[in-house]
Amino acid sequence: ADDTVWSELEARIEAGEYFFVLASFPCSSSSAARHNPHRVAGPGPLRACWPQKHLWGLPQLSGQDKEQVRLGNLHALRSAKAASIQIRAGRGVALENPQPWRQLPSLFYLEPLTELLALGAKDVDFAQCPFGSASAKRTRIRYYRGTFAKLELHVCRHPDREWWDATTGLRYWKPHAKLAGARDSKGAWASKGSEAYP
């Protein structure tokens, strides 16, 4: 997020120093867990799909929420810029973030990131539970060059099992425990723990 550091890095990318760039920008401000209609607790939405300007952040955010959105936007924009440079030069790039959910905001919907598709970038969606994640952790990679398309073979094949929702006291059947509104054994939001890669 430091302008001086970014300027130097952008110049090195422009100069062709990197054959491949991989970026995974922060996704916490657009997490699907913030939009779960059954969420009775936990952090609420910071972005919305409609009107489109709310993809950049909801109006009247303040404090930590506003800063979280600002940093998410900044890193997404800088990742898109790096990707654009790489693609125009014929070099490889891959950008990672959660797979968008229907009718929910995603940083992949920001115009500088959608423009990469017109330059030749492609998307591949896959689940991370086959790699050891406790949740399906559906992920998207927008890429140019490389063999990322093979990741589409990795989908959740876990059978439904019975879970207990500590917040509502209800039992439910799903392949993985719900994260939205749930807390781990230490009292932290369960969705926070899912940020780590298996």
Side-chain angles (χ1 to χ4, degrees), residues 44-129:
L46 300 180
R47 302 175 188 271
C49 287
W50 309 109
Q52 192 158 1
K53 66 182 179 181
H54 288 176
L55 277 173
W56 296 94
L58 294 173
Q60 301 169 339
L61 293 176
S62 61
Q64 185 179 359
D65 288 343
K66 187 173 185 176
E67 180 63 4
Q68 194 171 9
V69 167
R70 184 190 74 80
L71 286 173
N73 291 344
L74 179 67
H75 289 299
L77 289 172
R78 289 181 172 175
S79 297
K81 177 66 173 176
S84 176
I85 295 167
Q86 287 290 101
I87 294 172
R88 290 176 195 279
R91 297 187 298 264
V93 66
L95 307 179
E96 180 277 340
N97 230 240
Q99 177 182 338
W101 289 59
R102 238 182 335 183
Q103 300 179 352
L104 294 183
S106 167
L107 294 175
F108 277 122
Y109 298 153
L110 296 177
E111 191 173 350
L113 287 160
T114 61
E115 289 172 353
L116 299 175
L117 297 170
L119 294 177
K122 297 177 182 174
D123 288 340
V124 62
D125 298 329
F126 64 101
Q128 290 197 36
C129 55

